[in-house]
Structure formats: C-alpha cells, structure tokens
Amino acid sequence: MADPNVVDPIHQFEIKDILPFGDTGLGVTNSALFMLLTTGLIATYLILSTGRRAMVPNRFQVVSEMLYEFVARMVTNSSGKEGMKFFPFVFSLFMFILVANLFGMIPVFFTVTSHIIVTFALAMLVFVTVVVYGFVKNGPKFLKLFVPSGVPGYILPLVAVIEVISFLSRPISLSVRLFANVLAGHITLKVFAGFVVSMSGLGFLGWLGAVLPLALTVGITALEFLVAVLQAYVFALLTSMYLNDAIHPGH
C-alpha cells in the first residue's frame, strides 16, 4: 500500500475525464479543458488589450504590442520579410505554448505541454505547413533543400540521404525538446516539494532538514518560469527557421 505522505510526481500528468459523454470516449478531459482555457485567455486578452488602439496605450496594450514586435522581429530575422505572411501562425504557436507553460506553473492546474501527443501535434502542424507551402511555392525545386550546393558528386547521394533524415526528424526533435523540458522540470519540482512536505512532518529536526529542499524548490520554480518562456521562444524560432526552408529552399 502506498504511503499517503509520499508525493507522487507522476500523478500531476494524469489525464482525467471531467465531463464524460457516456462510453463514447468523447468527453472533456482536463487536458482539453486547459487547452480551451489557454486559447480563450489569449483571445480575450488580445481582443480587450488592442480593441481600442489608443494613441497613448495602457499597460495591457503595451504588452500586446511588445509581444507582436518580438515575434515579428523573430520571423523577419529568420525567414525575411516574405516570412511575415506566416506571422499569425508563428505568433499563435508562441502564445499558446507560452500561456500553456505558465498555466502549468499554477498549483492544481494541468500542463498540456507535458504530454508528447500535444507537442507532437504542434510539431506536425509545423512540418506539414513547411512541406505543403514548400511544394506549392517552389514545385519540384523544393527538393533542392536536400541537395546542398557545392557538394562533390561522389558524396552527394550520401549527403542527400542525411538531409532527408534530418528533415524528417524535425517533428520528433521539435516535440521532444518541448515535452522533455517541461516534463522533467515539473517532476523535479514535485520531488523536491515532496521532500519539504515529508521532512516537515518529522518535528523540529525535520524542519531544519527541510530548509535545503525548500530553497531548491524556490530556485527550481524560478528556473521553471524561465524554461516556460524559453521553450515557447525556441519552438517559435525553430518554426520560423523551418519556414525559411520552404520560402528559400536553396542552400
């Protein structure tokens, strides 16, 4: 029988039905709920903060404009001015991952990006967009992406195979990077927080011993907020770079 005083670090990632629809398997889960909350919060904030478009913006409009400029600069630097046609796509990905990660830092809230199925779906959306637009815009010339210029002919087939494998692995690397960082950070945070709870139940000496894990918990919490922002940035940045391959497939 499990010790009730031991905190299970995996329990926080369990997907549960909140509004089951009989035995159909189509009920609303905690994961679906927080994805809806994430999308709703982003839409509500952006609509309310930018609806007035005041000449002297308030602090909420300033934040929205800063986010817009930040992502716009990222897209332009990574894929040129032509890449701005994908700005709504990249901005949506960045905001969704950012808010979902920050939601996960709130106690009892669910972290949707801690599940590989969610991050892989986002990565596949990027991958399909790159492939479809690459062929629509460039036709067969998109395949030049796998044939780097200046490579000697005798090793060109090997290099082309490596390029294809690298390209096909992008959804995996993009999704695993986000999923693994969020999952590992939350598990570590839960473990050290569990140490604090367990040791504090041992009396005065336990409280003294809990000082170190408490300090580590605070430090890891601060680090997790940084990771939440950084992983959203990395995902959006890599998306912009991959879109550049669809816009400019030649090496």
Side-chain angles (χ1 to χ4, degrees):
M1 184 175 179
D3 186 348
N5 295 321
V6 177
V7 179
D8 181 9
I10 305 298
H11 181 73
Q12 59 183 314
F13 307 113
E14 182 181 354
I15 296 180
K16 302 176 182 178
D17 284 328
I18 298 177
L19 295 173
F21 295 159
D23 297 327
T24 62
L26 300 176
V28 178
T29 64
N30 51 353
S31 179
L33 174 63
F34 276 94
M35 282 190 275
L36 290 173
L37 289 175
T38 298
T39 305
L41 178 62
I42 295 169
T44 302
Y45 178 81
L46 292 176
I47 291 172
L48 293 179
S49 62
T50 61
R52 294 177 58 190
R53 300 180 184 178
M55 292 297 295
V56 181
N58 57 29
R59 67 186 66 181
F60 300 108
Q61 184 176 336
V62 169
V63 172
S64 296
E65 292 176 355
M66 288 176 62
L67 289 169
Y68 177 95
E69 292 174 2
F70 175 75
V71 177
R73 191 179 305 113
M74 179 199 310
V75 173
T76 303
N77 291 341
S78 301
S79 53
K81 292 183 178 180
E82 191 174 351
M84 280 300 292
K85 65 178 65 177
F86 291 103
F87 170 81
F89 177 61
V90 179
F91 184 78
S92 299
L93 287 174
F94 174 77
M95 291 298 298
F96 179 84
I97 296 172
L98 175 63
V99 175
N101 287 348
L102 293 177
F103 259 156
M105 295 302 301
I106 302 175
V108 310
F109 276 32
F110 187 80
T111 313
V112 298
T113 49
S114 66
H115 282 265
I116 187 66
I117 187 62
V118 174
T119 59
F120 186 72
L122 295 175
M124 281 302 299
L125 180 61
V126 174
F127 180 78
V128 171
T129 301
V130 170
V131 172
V132 171
Y133 183 79
F135 277 109
V136 168
K137 180 179 184 297
N138 303 287
K141 292 182 179 179
F142 178 64
L143 298 176
K144 292 173 60 179
L145 180 64
F146 310 116
V147 185
S149 58
V151 177
Y154 62 91
I155 64 169
L156 186 58
L158 177 61
V159 172
V161 170
I162 294 174
E163 290 285 339
V164 170
I165 294 175
S166 175
F167 183 80
L168 295 177
S169 67
R170 286 179 177 181
I172 299 175
S173 62
L174 197 60
S175 59
V176 170
R177 181 184 294 105
L178 175 58
F179 150 76
N181 277 279
V182 173
L183 182 73
H186 279 61
I187 289 177
T188 304
L189 183 60
K190 193 77 169 183
V191 168
F192 281 104
F195 285 159
V196 176
V197 174
S198 299
M199 296 181 71
S200 61
L202 302 177
F204 179 72
L205 293 178
W207 278 104
L208 290 178
V211 172
L212 179 58
L214 177 61
L216 289 173
T217 301
V218 174
I220 293 173
T221 300
L223 180 62
E224 278 298 283
F225 275 105
L226 176 62
V227 169
V229 177
L230 185 61
Q231 286 304 312
Y233 167 72
V234 170
F235 197 100
L237 177 62
L238 290 176
T239 298
S240 300
M241 295 174 64
Y242 296 159
L243 288 169
N244 181 59
D245 289 338
I247 299 171
H248 310 104
H251 283 250

